[in-house]
Amino acid sequence: MDLERLPSGKFDSNDLVLNLGALTYNILKHIGLCGLLDEDAPVRHSAKRRRIKTVIQELMYVAARLIKRSRQLWLRFGKNCSAFSAFNKVYKRLVYE
């Protein structure tokens, strides 16, 4: 997440960046646990936990088209998208719980 060097000389700015980095890390870790550990996961082999890089590659870099229709935003995935079921499961779990 590129937090090796902090962006500012000010303590408050660096504190904010570190807190946002920790929040981002925890969100990605939760997404990895929810979406990439089941039998329908798009990754190549099974594991007990996923690295952040794997979560980003398998779920965040999924090609989709953003469509605005009837004042709503929709994500359109391809027909053979291997990550759609995992992405849909994570989305439902985050939205409806």
Side-chain angles (χ1 to χ4, degrees):
M1 289 188 291
D2 200 25
L3 292 176
E4 289 84 21
R5 293 187 185 161
L6 296 173
S8 177
K10 309 261 189 231
F11 180 77
D12 291 335
S13 300
N14 292 338
D15 183 47
L16 177 66
V17 168
L18 283 175
N19 284 329
L20 290 175
L23 178 66
T24 304
Y25 177 81
N26 289 330
I27 289 171
L28 287 172
K29 212 49 169 162
H30 181 69
I31 288 172
L33 288 174
C34 294
L36 295 179
L37 292 180
D38 289 337
E39 63 277 348
D40 60 349
V43 292
R44 294 155 201 70
H45 54 83
S46 61
K48 292 182 182 176
R49 60 190 179 123
R50 293 287 174 209
R51 301 180 113 197
I52 297 299
K53 182 179 178 181
T54 307
V55 173
I56 291 172
Q57 286 175 348
E58 299 293 336
L59 286 179
M60 299 297 144
Y61 290 162
V62 174
R65 182 178 292 170
L66 185 64
I67 299 171
K68 186 175 182 180
R69 184 173 66 189
S70 65
R71 296 184 185 173
Q72 293 181 345
L73 292 176
W74 298 78
L75 273 179
R76 175 79 53 148
F77 294 91
K79 286 184 180 180
N80 298 323
C81 181
S82 62
F84 176 72
S85 61
F87 188 87
N88 195 27
K89 182 175 31 174
V90 169
Y91 175 76
K92 285 181 181 178
R93 187 164 183 185
L94 291 176
V95 169
Y96 297 120
E97 286 186 4

